[in-house]
Amino acid sequence: MNEYGTYRAALDGRDLPAAFLDRAAFEANVATTADRAEGTPVRVATKSVRCTAVLERVIAEPGFEGLMCYTGHEAVDLAEQGFVDLLVAYPVVDTPELRRVAEAVADGHRIVLMVDSAEHVERAGAAAAEAGADVPLCIDLDCSTEHLGVHFGVRRSPVRTPNEALDVADTVVATTGVHLSGLMGYEAQLAGLPDRSPGKSAVENFAIRRFKPRSKAVVRERRQAVAGALDDEYGLAFVNGGGTGSIEFTRADPSVTEVTAGSAYYAPRQFDWYDHVAYEPAAGYAVEVTREPADDVYTCRGGGYIASGPVGADKTPVPWLPEGAQLLDAEGAGEVQTPVRYEGPVDLAPGAPVVMRHGKAGELCRFFEELAVVDGDEVVETHPTYRGEGKCYV
Ligand SMILES: Cc1ncc(COP(=O)(O)O)c(C=O)c1O
């Protein structure tokens, strides 16, 4: 649909600002994601969703198996709500949190913790031994690469070689209360870095597009070598990789048994800037015009829900509908007020909504308590976000 009048009719009478999920676009994006994976199971990245009802909808579709969580507390909460097969993608070092995970595992839930060092393993082992649990662990492989002396990727795990991975695995095997289950090799520079971001210079975007194919070759080889070494020595239950921006590349790696996708379902602005990824905008929010300080300038309440990461033009939300509405360079999207320039035919009298799109998927739900599900020109249901459930985690 994606038409101003339809959203305006749907949101009429609601308190604004309001976040929405466009049902038709969301369902199309879920289907596109399953198609892209071509039968490789898709693990759903919760940080890019942050809404339990949406997680339930995605995971119920064929092709989706398991969640990738971002904290231990989140994983336990989701397990208690009936979700199964939870992989915590980032190391947990907090003792009470580890204890809670270990107790949930002892109760029969499958929650896999991420490790990249002996210390991570020992901490998980201590909590597991106390709870009488056997906690599955996953080793995080650094998939960043280097080209022309430039580091290309994220700074997370120090594990890069088969021997480094085997060292961590040896510690896992020698530690009571834990066992080795999987390997995760997340190629952030391919999955999460757009090809033509407005937050980067033309030279930077050019370099990114030149580096990506070179990086792919290194990632493919490294992930296969490490997965092979761990599998030969200890056996692996799964090898995870990828994200919304890299599904085709990741699933083509024969060592990978599952791909991750989270942002795909909402399709925020970030995914407008990939050369080979096509989704429909499915989430955003509406702010309402409250005043008209000059001709063709309409100031709205709220609006400045900025995304995380290096600060740049790609992190700001932008007006989406009515078509042609734009932020003012001097103010951008503000904390409590956002002026918008608009010269088109739509009457933006006070009370009229301006529909905005945000930069990064799940972060929208950090600012709103619910998502209004828009179907055609009506809101058919509302889903509480994590925030609406009183949760944030980090
Ligand atoms: C470990 C890991 N895997 C996968 C993803 C991909 O998530 P998305 O599909 O939302 O880009 C992320 C996102 O940052 C991540 O940290």
Side-chain angles (χ1 to χ4, degrees), residues 45 47-48 68 89-90 156 184 186 242-244 260-263 271:
K47 84 170 183 63
S48 306
M68 173 177 280
Y90 317 99
R156 294 187 187 175
M184 181 181 80
Y186 171 55
T244 297
T260 300
S263 301
F271 288 92

